[in-house]
Amino acid sequence: MNHKAVIVCAKRTPIGRAGGILRNIPPEDLASVVFRSILEETGVPAEVIEDVILGNVVGPGGNLARLSALQADFPVSVPGVTVDRQCGSGMEAVGQAVRLIQAGAGGVYLAGGVESVSRAPWKMKKPKNVWQQLPRFYERAAFSPEKIGDPDMGVAAENVAQKYGVTREEQDVYAVESHQKAVRAQKEGRYEGEIVPLSGVAEMDECPREQTNRKLLRRLPPVFVEHGTVTAGNSCPVNDGASVVLVMSEEKAKAWGLSPLVEVQDIVTTGVDPNYLGIGPISAVQQCLKRNNLEINDIDQMEFNEAFASQTIACLHALQVPRENVNSGGGAIALGHPYGASGAVITTRLCAEMKIQQTETGIAAMGIGGGMGIAMLCKNR
C-alpha cells in the first residue's frame, strides 16, 4: 500500500544576510525556534515525532538535526539525522520523510534545513607532512573531480549563460522582477503565515530591496569571469536561515484533526554535467513530469531556487514555463539562499502560494552543486 504524504504545516525564519540580522544565532537555535512554532500551531506533541531530518551544508559538522531537537527541548527519545545534498539538502530532507511515509515506515516527521553562513567554521586542509608544511584554508570541498571539471558556482553560472545565450540584460531584468515581487509580497503580508518572527532580532527578510532597478544593476561589474555577465546584482546573496515542514501520513493528519496544505506526490533527483550545474532542474522536472504522466502545462505554480538569474532563465526557457507562474512572491535573488535551508524554503513558499492562489498542482525545483537537480511535485489539498 502506498501511503499519501502530506505537509500540514510549513514555517521558516526570516532570511538574513551573512553577517546581518541573524549573525549571532547558532544554527541549532534557528532550527529549534521553527520546531517549537510548528508544534505550537498544530498541537502535535514532540514525543510523537518519529524523526527529525535536517539539511545542512556549511555548518559545524556533527548531527545538527539531533542537536536542534534537543535544543528545542524535545524528549531524548526523538532521534535526528542530518543530510547533505549541498543546495538541495533541505528538499532532500523533506523527500526522505515523504518516502518513509509512502513506504509505510513512519507517519510523523519534521523535515527541512538550516544554515548559518555567518557562523560557519573555517576549513583547513591538513598537510601531508605536519612537521614541514603549514595547513591552508579552503572554502569548500570538491564537488566533482578535476578531470571532469569543478567550477565555482559563479563560474558555472557564466558557463550556463554562455551556452544558453542568456544576456546580461535578461539577467538584470529578471533580478529586478525578483526584488519587486518580494517587496510586494512583504507589503501584502503574504509571508506572515510562514515566517516565525525572532523577537527582538528579526521579523522580516533582510535582503529584498525596493530601490533595485535596471539602472543600478547596469553599474555592477561581473564578479566571476572577466567580461562576463554574472554580477552581484543578478545573483543571490549569501544567507542565514531555517525552514521546516511537518510531514505526516494522511491517516495521521486526520487523526490529529489537521488539514493538509499539500500532498507531496513525488520527488526526483537527477545528475547533469558539473560544469553546467545550474541546468539540473531541467532534467529533474522533466523526469518528474514523465513519471506522473503530466505535461508542463499541467503545472499551475512553480518555485525555482534563484541562485543565479542566468540558470533560472535557462531552465525556464528550456522547460517552456510561463514566468508569471514562477516565484510569485520573489525568489532567492531577493530573499536569499541559506544553502542547506533553501530547498525547504522554496517548499514552504510553494505551500503558501498554492494556498493563496488556490492552484491545483505545483513543483519546487533547484540546481545543486556537483551537477544535480531536484524537483518535488505537490498537489493542493
Side-chain angles (χ1 to χ4, degrees), residues 99 131 253 261 342:
R99 292 304 190 209
W131 295 279
L261 298 173
S342 292

Side-chain angles (χ1 to χ4, degrees), residues 162-292:
Q162 184 174 2
K163 181 175 181 177
Y164 288 83
V166 183
T167 67
R168 165 72 181 268
E169 180 71 8
E170 287 180 291
Q171 294 173 60
D172 287 350
V173 167
Y174 188 94
V176 171
E177 289 176 357
S178 185
H179 281 279
Q180 289 174 339
K181 288 188 286 188
V183 170
R184 184 167 61 248
Q186 284 182 330
K187 291 181 177 179
E188 293 174 352
R190 289 168 71 162
Y191 299 150
E192 290 179 1
E194 68 195 60
I195 289 183
V196 181
L198 302 175
S199 179
V201 179
E203 297 189 355
M204 61 190 297
D205 300 312
E206 183 175 16
C207 294
R209 298 188 302 273
E210 187 169 10
Q211 70 273 22
T212 297
N213 57 58
R214 290 161 66 183
K215 183 177 180 180
L216 288 174
L217 294 190
R218 286 194 198 102
R219 300 174 185 171
L220 298 176
V223 290
F224 302 105
V225 174
E226 188 177 4
H227 307 303
T229 60
V230 179
T231 71
N234 56 42
S235 307
C236 69
V238 179
N239 299 88
D240 307 329
S243 185
V244 181
V245 302
L246 179 57
V247 192
M248 287 182 158
S249 66
E250 189 175 46
E251 296 84 356
K252 289 286 187 180
K254 288 180 180 178
W256 283 98
L258 297 171
S259 300
L261 298 173
V262 298
E263 176 193 346
V264 182
Q265 295 185 306
D266 201 1
I267 182 167
V268 171
T269 309
T270 58
V272 298
D273 185 340
N275 295 289
Y276 304 94
L277 61 92
I279 65 168
I282 298 173
S283 57
V285 170
Q286 288 173 336
Q287 187 170 321
C288 190
L289 293 173
K290 184 177 180 180
R291 284 201 333 200
N292 292 275

Side-chain angles (χ1 to χ4, degrees), residues 139-161:
E139 185 174 351
R140 64 169 176 86
F143 295 154
S144 170
E146 290 185 8
K147 63 182 180 181
I148 294 175
D150 187 23
D152 288 334
M153 297 296 182
V155 175
E158 287 282 12
N159 292 345
V160 169

